[in-house]
Amino acid sequence: MADGTRKLKVGFADQLRDIEVALPAGEPQPWDATTKLDVVGKPHPRIEAAAKVTGAARYTHDQRPAGLVHAAVLRCPHPCAVLDALDLEPARGAPGVLAVLAVAKPGDRLLFAGQDVAALAATTPQQAHAALARIAVRYSPQPFVVDTTAAMQPDAPLVHRAQVRERSTEGDEPGTPTGSSQRGNLRMSPSQKKGDVDKGLRQAKVTHEATYSTQAHTHSALETHSIVLRWDSPTSLTAWCSTQGIFSVRDELAEVFGLKPQDVHVITDYMGGGFGAKFGASAPGSRLGFIAGELARQARAPVALLLDRREEHLCTGNRPDSIQQVTLGAAADGSLTAIKVLAHGSGGIGTGAGVGRNAFAIYTKCPNIRVESHDVFTHAGPATAFRAPGHPQGAFAIELALDELAVKLGKDPLELRLAHNEHPVRRHQFELGRKQFDWDNKRKRVADERQRNTRLRHGVGVAASIWGDFGRGKAVVASLSVGRDGSIELRNGLQDIGGGITTVVAQVVAEVLRRPLADIRVRIGTSELGPSVGSGGSNTTSSVTPAVRAAAEAVLQQLRELAGKQLAARRPEDVLWDSKGARVGGKSIAFVDLCKHIAGEAIVATGTRPDTYGAYPSRFMGGNSVAIAGVQFAEVELDTWTGLVRATHVLALHDCGRVMNPLTCRSQITGGIILGTSYALSEQRVMDKRHGVMLNPNLDSYKIAGARDVPAIDVVFTEVHTGANNTGAIGIGEPATIPTAAAIACAVFSAIGTPVRSLPLTPDRVLAALGAIPTAAPARG
Amino acid sequence: MSDIPRISRRSLFRGVGSATLVAGCAAKTPTPAPAPGLDPAAPPLAGTALGPGPAPLRFTLNGAPQTLEAAPSTTLLELLRHQLDATGSKLVCDRGACGACTVLVDGAPQPSCMTLAHDVEGRGVTTVEGLATNNQLSPLQRAFIEHDALQCGYCSSGMLMSCQALLNRRGATDAAAVEHAIAGNLCRCGTYPNVVAAVLSVAKGGA
């Protein structure tokens, strides 16, 4: 088949249309709005779930290769210090110690409390931790700054003395502006701009200007960053790693130890949660891969380096904080004339404190927009991608600012949004949500309670998300085999981080081959199984399923040819294929019988995915990927006496292309909302400004939402046929968490009539907004 | 029941006295009066003193009798994961804040990271590995799968044990009761609503 164009029916709801897409040779006819599927799109429980509910699933923390020894890392206790002396010899003689390693050397300037200094390995974890105390180390503490505002002052202690290079991973949003200049602790990034924002503000009849701030937020995956590493020969190794990107681990270990990538075998059968921080063999602030590999070489034994909870908070990444000055201008009729955001945020010693695309790319009818976001360096652990990097903080500021402007304009916040949003799917979601949430009536009740000054108040808010379909072409090579015994096995070096991709790829194979889902064996989780993508940027399903489908279609073609021979078909098209097997006229052959005629052991075919070929109905930032839309409505209950806010209900309307498995897709959206609720109401990294250390590096005072803190959640899929790839899948992991905190903050504003402009929305801040207690200084860290 | 006095990490700290712990940190603090358990003149605690080396320990794990040796400082979670290779129970926070290591001790849910191994002497411990019988998943396990009450699965072992304990005491009367029972089990993927639905479905099914 030569390259060619094909017609596709794309769109959503009743807005369907035909488009033409250019397809490379061999690409299967894409599933579109006219395609009826039996297995894909239906709810299916996870096929690997039994291993998870019986405790049989072996995560990285559970690996016990023979002779395993245990590593521990000595970390710098100071926010900034010069390492004066380091003597490992006393630890070398401690009970059970098999290897010691200096990671920092005397003279090094250490930049955050938690940075690697030295490491060792011992027979038991207890011996390793006990031996750390024997390391003789001397530091000269240096001036430091951990507060973002303080770090922006000209006389603030300087964090980096040289230019900082941006570190980006597969968890980062593609196409984020790069190129920057650095002055003091400030690293300026190029702005997103259109029109003339100053002119727009001059034209405005009504303006709103305020500063919004958000807290630093740690990923807190339950399984900490961890690696178990075994040298199999002087030039080859096996690493079990809790990672979102098997091949990123392979490549880092190959580079660090000068090995051929194919001699590095990485295994991630199961992994206990990844939200953007688990790429590469190391953590963003700790050289785990290097440490484990060196210790294993010295100890001549496999080494487990499993971070504890405190380390996980300090050196494995975080969502940066932000201080965002938002200025909005509107004409007398309420149309926006300007959106201006000047944001500063600290990713500690790292970069990446942006505020996403929310202010720039959602309310696009505003002609003049400028969004600047700059990094502020502080002496804290480096930030890294965290589920929709930048977006939740950006959404919080722009959405709450819009609500404040709406009040000044005397407009319904939903109307203001509808009037400025041009994405057809998002418009549809706003309208649908308005009805289903009963927005208009709920707003009346909220206003009534506010007017009556009741103790208990309700509030409602709405906010939007934007993300792109970042499905990657040519990155995945999936391999499918059908054996002579009728067994079906899909192989790919993919990791399932909890999104449910294992089940989804089985569904695709079952759909194409018309075989029962239970008959599909999916082998993933090691680098030996063929190239795949990292799970970041919400790209797994859209990158992997088209390649799997291509492999399955190729196998099916060979099976049909085989059936044609067996049943003496005159033409290949005469072979009919269904759930029983093949048929030609009145003759038929069952699937298992047909397989017995396979020459050799199996039919094996590989499949890959071309670049994204369609982007209907709306392109993301002018590129060739679909702009994903989502809208969430939130309701809160607020006690004006205690200041306590409870999120009681969230209605989430999301576009995720073709919904491959509604059961797991719904779970992922629910999870995004719960993470967003937790970010809105309770989570914050608290830094001690005087000592420069994190005060709550645990899970009892770092408050992540529990079962009783979550709202009732309704999920509505607005299925969109985008023409992006042959399965129509696009991502959902990130979009689902973007608007939650913003919608909750807007709801709190509607409940009390005063905005709380800092996250998290803790009782002290609510009470301060109510005038019940003095305004607290914003606690940022 | 064992005749060895039961010690937990919490009660050990309580026994030593917080003043003593603080005194250990600040050299200039006046020496406090010795805590009762440490007064050399006080009569010894009843029972046999253990340690510091490994001491014999017997208990039942998922119905199978265990006879082994463990140092008195070993937590039940360490014993399960390192000595018995029962890695279903997870180490997540190591201070009883997250519930990922929850096991049943004589039917009662307990964080195994906060339980000393010797505290289960003579007792029956059930872990996630003990929920299925003869390779048949329990009704709760099946409900977790059907309701998609797990994503990455790392909290699931502990979550299941808290829920099983609730079902055993016939307490899964409504969503609030389930939420209360799992209030100490953190899930970062956000599976709580599905966990509640799974448990209620089992309770309604009379399992």
Side-chain angles (χ1 to χ4, degrees):
Chain A
M1 207 186 313
D3 286 25
T5 57
R6 277 184 251 165
K7 271 204 177 135
L8 295 184
K9 179 82 77 186
V10 294
F12 62 98
D14 55 358
Q15 303 186 37
L16 296 175
R17 56 175 288 187
D18 294 314
I19 59 166
E20 283 194 342
V21 292
L23 299 186
E27 176 71 351
Q29 174 67 28
W31 290 336
D32 68 2
T34 63
T35 313
K36 296 275 174 281
L37 301 173
D38 297 325
V39 187
V40 167
K42 302 289 188 305
H44 290 286
R46 288 163 205 262
I47 60 176
E48 83 290 4
K52 291 178 176 173
V53 298
T54 55
R58 290 257 172 179
Y59 296 73
T60 298
H61 274 241
D62 305 328
Q63 299 300 332
R64 300 280 182 276
L68 184 68
V69 303
H70 301 268
V73 179
L74 181 71
R75 302 195 171 279
C76 179
H78 305 289
C80 187
V82 171
L83 181 63
D84 287 336
L86 178 65
D87 182 5
L88 301 174
E89 287 315 307
R92 203 184 290 278
V97 170
L98 301 162
V100 297
L101 176 70
V103 186
K105 57 183 190 304
D108 281 356
R109 209 165 147 262
L110 303 168
L111 297 182
F112 71 96
Q115 193 169 338
D116 301 338
V117 174
L120 52 79
T123 308
T124 70
Q126 291 81 359
Q127 287 170 332
H129 285 281
L132 283 184
R134 298 236 196 150
I135 295 175
V137 56
R138 216 172 56 237
Y139 306 95
S140 290
Q142 303 288 309
F144 64 88
V145 60
V146 294
D147 178 72
T148 305
T149 309
M152 290 164 65
Q153 305 312 309
D155 59 346
L158 193 62
V159 177
H160 293 293
R161 292 176 176 172
Q163 289 287 315
V164 173
R165 276 225 333 259
E166 180 113 21
R167 174 189 179 274
S168 100
T169 70
E170 285 172 278
D172 286 299
E173 182 178 341
T176 309
T178 52
S180 59
S181 63
Q182 201 170 315
R183 198 178 64 239
N185 287 324
L186 275 175
R187 181 177 178 276
M188 324 292 259
S189 295
S191 53
Q192 308 169 57
K193 59 182 168 191
K194 73 167 190 179
D196 181 341
V197 82
D198 297 319
K199 193 173 127 204
L201 284 173
R202 282 196 303 273
Q203 290 167 343
K205 289 283 177 289
V206 180
T207 58
H208 167 70
E209 183 167 4
T211 300
Y212 300 83
S213 64
T214 62
Q215 75 280 36
H217 180 205
T218 67
H219 298 68
S220 296
L222 292 196
E223 186 181 34
T224 58
H225 280 70
S226 42
I227 184 166
V228 175
L229 190 148
R230 179 185 70 203
W231 287 95
D232 298 322
S233 80
T235 57
S236 65
L237 62 84
T238 299
W240 292 262
C241 193
S242 183
T243 183
Q244 296 173 242
I246 283 175
F247 291 90
S248 69
V249 176
R250 182 197 67 171
D251 293 349
E252 182 180 329
L253 291 174
E255 189 184 330
V256 167
F257 295 109
L259 309 174
K260 292 180 186 147
Q262 60 268 34
D263 292 334
V264 177
H265 179 195
V266 178
I267 302 173
T268 308
D269 288 328
Y270 298 94
M271 69 90 76
F275 304 95
K278 289 179 175 173
F279 288 96
S282 295
S286 184
R287 297 171 67 193
L288 305 183
F290 163 73
I291 293 170
E294 283 295 324
L295 291 175
R297 191 131 73 177
Q298 271 192 48
R300 298 175 178 278
V303 161
L305 176 46
L306 319 174
L307 294 191
D308 64 22
R309 184 53 48 189
R310 179 173 168 276
E311 294 174 300
E312 189 69 11
H313 279 292
L314 298 183
C315 63
T316 69
N318 52 71
R319 183 187 296 289
D321 64 5
S322 75
I323 304 161
Q324 304 176 56
Q325 282 174 270
V326 180
T327 314
L328 302 177
D333 67 354
S335 54
L336 287 171
T337 59
I339 297 174
K340 183 169 123 181
V341 178
L342 174 60
H344 291 89
S346 182
I349 64 164
T351 60
V355 290
R357 315 285 199 183
N358 307 69
F360 187 69
I362 294 180
Y363 301 108
T364 45
K365 274 206 182 152
C366 176
N368 308 298
I369 306 179
R370 188 167 77 217
V371 179
E372 290 175 76
S373 52
H374 306 308
D375 287 311
V376 179
F377 295 115
T378 53
H379 289 98
T384 196
F386 188 171
R387 208 166 184 172
H391 286 239
Q393 51 267 53
F396 163 71
I398 187 63
E399 303 277 6
L400 184 52
L402 279 174
D403 274 21
E404 292 187 56
L405 181 72
V407 169
K408 286 186 184 173
L409 291 166
K411 273 192 161 312
D412 179 338
L414 183 54
E415 292 292 348
L416 186 66
R417 285 167 173 78
L418 268 168
H420 293 92
N421 167 71
E422 296 176 285
H423 194 301
V425 177
R426 196 180 290 113
R427 295 185 64 79
H428 171 77
Q429 291 166 335
F430 275 130
E431 295 286 10
L432 199 64
R434 166 184 238 154
K435 281 190 221 115
Q436 192 164 332
F437 189 74
D438 199 16
W439 172 260
D440 299 327
N441 284 323
K442 281 197 169 134
R443 290 246 309 154
K444 280 186 202 135
R445 180 172 80 149
V446 165
D448 176 59
E449 285 178 356
R450 208 168 54 228
Q451 199 159 24
R452 288 191 292 119
N453 206 17
T454 56
R455 171 181 171 178
L456 209 61
R457 304 274 179 84
H458 292 84
V460 291
V462 60
S465 77
I466 180 168
W467 195 251
D469 161 34
F470 302 123
R472 285 171 59 196
K474 303 174 183 105
V476 178
V477 182
S479 165
L480 183 68
S481 79
V482 171
R484 217 166 32 193
D485 59 355
S487 60
I488 305 168
E489 186 169 281
L490 185 281
R491 302 186 198 104
N492 184 239
L494 159 75
Q495 58 290 314
D496 188 338
I497 66 170
I501 189 66
T502 316
T503 309
V504 168
V505 298
Q507 287 175 265
V508 171
V509 174
E511 182 76 52
V512 173
L513 298 185
R514 310 247 144 211
R515 302 306 305 155
L517 189 68
D519 288 2
I520 317 298
R521 183 169 175 213
V522 177
R523 286 190 60 208
I524 62 166
T526 110
S527 53
E528 312 287 88
L529 295 170
S532 198
V533 288
S535 295
S538 300
N539 74 2
T540 310
T541 311
S542 60
S543 301
V544 174
T545 58
V548 170
R549 187 178 162 216
E553 297 283 1
V555 164
L556 178 63
Q557 196 178 332
Q558 292 187 50
L559 285 170
R560 293 172 79 111
E561 283 165 15
L562 185 63
K565 267 187 221 153
Q566 293 302 319
L567 301 175
R570 264 176 291 166
R571 296 170 308 168
E573 307 88 270
D574 292 343
V575 179
L576 297 178
W577 188 267
D578 63 21
S579 60
K580 296 191 191 76
R583 220 157 17 95
V584 174
K587 290 181 288 183
S588 67
I589 184 165
F591 177 78
V592 280
D593 295 326
L594 176 65
C595 291
K596 288 176 188 155
H597 296 284
I598 291 172
E601 279 300 305
I603 289 174
V604 184
T606 60
T608 185
R609 173 205 195 276
D611 288 329
T612 295
Y613 43 74
Y616 184 82
S618 187
R619 284 175 199 281
F620 178 76
M621 303 295 284
N624 193 34
S625 73
V626 175
I628 301 173
V631 165
Q632 291 181 9
F633 290 77
E635 183 165 15
V636 300
E637 194 177 272
L638 183 151
D639 185 334
T640 55
W641 290 12
T642 64
L644 199 68
V645 178
R646 284 198 324 120
T648 51
H649 180 213
V650 171
L651 168 66
L653 304 100
H654 283 280
D655 154 17
C656 33
R658 177 183 297 282
V659 178
M660 305 298 283
N661 182 347
L663 183 66
T664 52
C665 185
R666 197 175 295 274
S667 291
Q668 213 177 144
I669 294 175
T670 301
I673 292 165
I674 291 172
L675 179 70
T677 304
S678 192
Y679 176 59
L681 297 179
S682 60
E683 286 184 48
Q684 57 180 329
R685 185 187 70 182
V686 181
M687 297 296 283
D688 182 325
K689 290 177 197 175
R690 281 183 58 201
H691 298 101
V693 297
M694 182 176 176
L695 290 173
N696 54 344
N698 49 56
L699 289 179
D700 38 273
S701 55
Y702 184 89
K703 290 286 186 193
I704 80 176
R708 291 183 293 191
D709 304 317
V710 307
I713 295 168
D714 289 315
V715 174
V716 174
F717 303 122
T718 44
E719 190 160 76
V720 181
H721 301 282
T722 62
N725 57 63
N726 73 35
T727 60
I730 59 173
I732 190 59
E734 279 155 305
T737 203
I738 293 170
T740 312
I744 289 172
C746 290
V748 166
F749 176 43
S750 83
I752 60 175
T754 316
V756 181
R757 296 185 181 131
S758 296
L759 289 183
L761 307 165
T762 45
D764 58 321
R765 289 185 176 140
V766 172
L767 291 175
L770 285 163
I773 61 166
T775 305
R780 281 184 299 269
Chain B
M1 282 291 291
S2 150
D3 55 2
I4 296 172
R6 298 188 54 230
I7 318 159
S8 69
R9 271 163 73 170
R10 276 201 179 111
S11 66
L12 179 68
F13 287 154
R14 218 180 290 132
V16 170
S18 55
T20 318
L21 289 175
V22 173
C25 307
K28 284 180 185 165
T29 314
T31 311
L38 293 187
D39 184 350
L45 292 168
T48 316
L50 297 178
L57 168 63
R58 279 176 310 174
F59 70 105
T60 310
L61 177 61
N62 299 324
Q66 307 289 330
T67 304
L68 38 81
E69 290 205 326
S73 60
T74 309
T75 66
L76 177 57
L77 182 63
E78 287 166 347
L79 184 85
L80 291 170
R81 291 181 55 84
H82 292 281
Q83 273 176 258
L84 297 168
D85 201 34
T87 56
S89 309
K90 304 301 183 206
L91 174 73
V92 169
C93 73
D94 204 15
R95 53 199 283 176
C98 75
C101 65
T102 304
V103 300
L104 306 187
V105 178
D106 288 344
Q110 278 195 23
S112 58
C113 78
M114 298 289 284
T115 305
L116 290 170
H118 281 275
D119 266 354
V120 300
E121 167 73 32
R123 302 177 138 219
V125 174
T126 310
T127 66
V128 69
E129 289 92 344
L131 287 180
T133 40
N134 302 325
N135 285 327
Q136 290 293 306
L137 296 182
S138 73
L140 182 65
Q141 288 171 316
R142 288 201 305 273
F144 260 57
I145 296 173
E146 279 158 31
H147 290 267
D148 205 36
L150 65 152
Q151 290 185 39
C152 81
Y154 216 68
C155 74
S156 305
S157 308
M159 198 70 93
L160 280 156
M161 301 319 289
S162 294
C163 295
Q164 190 60 55
L166 178 73
L167 289 169
N168 290 351
R169 59 179 187 266
R170 308 214 173 276
T173 46
D174 58 11
V178 182
E179 286 167 3
H180 180 77
I182 60 169
N185 292 86
L186 296 178
C187 168
R188 194 52 160 169
C189 301
T191 58
Y192 305 119
N194 294 0
V195 171
V196 172
V199 174
L200 290 179
S201 79
V202 176
K204 280 185 196 130

